[in-house]
Amino acid sequence: LPKPMFESGAVVSAPPRIDGPSYGLLKSGDLILAINGQKLSLARNSPAAAQEGVSKFINTIRDTTPGDEITLDIISNYKSTQSQQQQQQQQQQPPAKTDSIRIRPQQLLDAKGRPLSSPSIGIMLQPNYIQTDTIKAKSLPEAASLASEALYQITTDTTYSITNAITSMLTGALNGKSVAT
């Protein structure tokens, strides 16, 4: 059975919006390790829990008071340098350099200047996926047990994700805010 593995941090999964405050500061493949000094920790082997960590990070940005800045600790070009980092670890060289950047989240405004959304920095994020491990059973009863655990995890993750999506939509609709990031 495949089992995805994650490490701390969130990866910028697409180029920042041209009109977003992170344009020119972040790029696709950058790894965000912390916001305002709080590390972004993800569950190592649960996709739903890893996504929950990213959602909490996004909520921290959305909860920023308009006009305030946030500080992000990042590793630039993380996805393109990930194999280099693995080689460095094997050779016991220092890890990639972490930088701190300051960004002022902005709300999208309509033609009359009214806010359409919560504060945003104009990026899309995904959990910091590192690899998929394969779990092999040694016997038929063990295979049945592993399959049962995997089915339970998939069902739990799916239920959590659907509940989270509905809650986000309702919360956004109730607050008069868009739920887009």
Side-chain angles (χ1 to χ4, degrees):
L1 294 171
K3 188 163 191 89
M5 303 298 285
F6 303 90
E7 285 189 352
S8 293
V11 177
V12 178
S13 59
R17 291 173 47 124
I18 292 173
D19 61 346
S22 62
Y23 186 77
L25 298 172
L26 294 171
K27 57 192 163 304
S28 183
D30 287 353
L31 176 67
I32 301 173
L33 299 169
I35 179 169
N36 296 331
Q38 292 184 331
K39 290 185 179 181
L40 178 58
S41 298
L42 303 181
R44 184 151 172 80
N45 57 8
S46 169
Q51 186 59 49
E52 180 180 5
V54 172
S55 294
K56 286 180 182 178
F57 174 81
I58 291 169
N59 287 335
T60 301
I61 294 169
R62 289 180 176 167
D63 292 342
T64 303
T65 303
D68 286 355
E69 286 187 333
I70 58 171
T71 301
L72 302 177
D73 296 336
I74 66 164
I75 297 176
S76 294
N77 298 316
Y78 176 75
K79 282 299 179 186
S80 62
T81 61
Q82 194 171 24
S83 61
Q84 293 172 356
Q85 288 175 342
Q86 290 168 349
Q87 290 172 358
Q88 288 172 349
Q89 288 174 353
Q90 291 170 355
Q91 297 170 0
Q92 297 182 355
Q93 294 179 1
K97 182 181 173 226
T98 302
D99 295 311
S100 289
I101 60 170
R102 295 184 63 78
I103 298 176
R104 181 170 285 129
Q106 299 173 348
Q107 294 177 299
L108 295 175
L109 304 175
D110 67 10
K112 295 183 179 180
R114 294 179 298 213
L116 293 173
S117 67
S118 300
S120 169
I121 58 174
I123 59 172
M124 296 193 61
L125 297 170
Q126 67 185 29
N128 184 16
Y129 166 82
I130 53 169
Q131 68 187 29
T132 299
D133 288 345
T134 303
I135 301 171
K136 295 181 181 179
K138 296 177 181 150
S139 67
L140 189 56
E142 184 182 7
S145 175
L146 289 172
S148 175
E149 288 174 22
L151 180 60
Y152 174 78
Q153 188 66 48
I154 290 168
T155 304
T156 303
D157 290 352
T158 302
T159 303
Y160 173 81
S161 296
I162 291 170
T163 303
N164 211 17
I166 292 170
T167 302
S168 294
M169 286 187 279
L170 290 175
T171 302
L174 293 175
N175 293 332
K177 299 177 181 178
S178 168
V179 293
T181 304

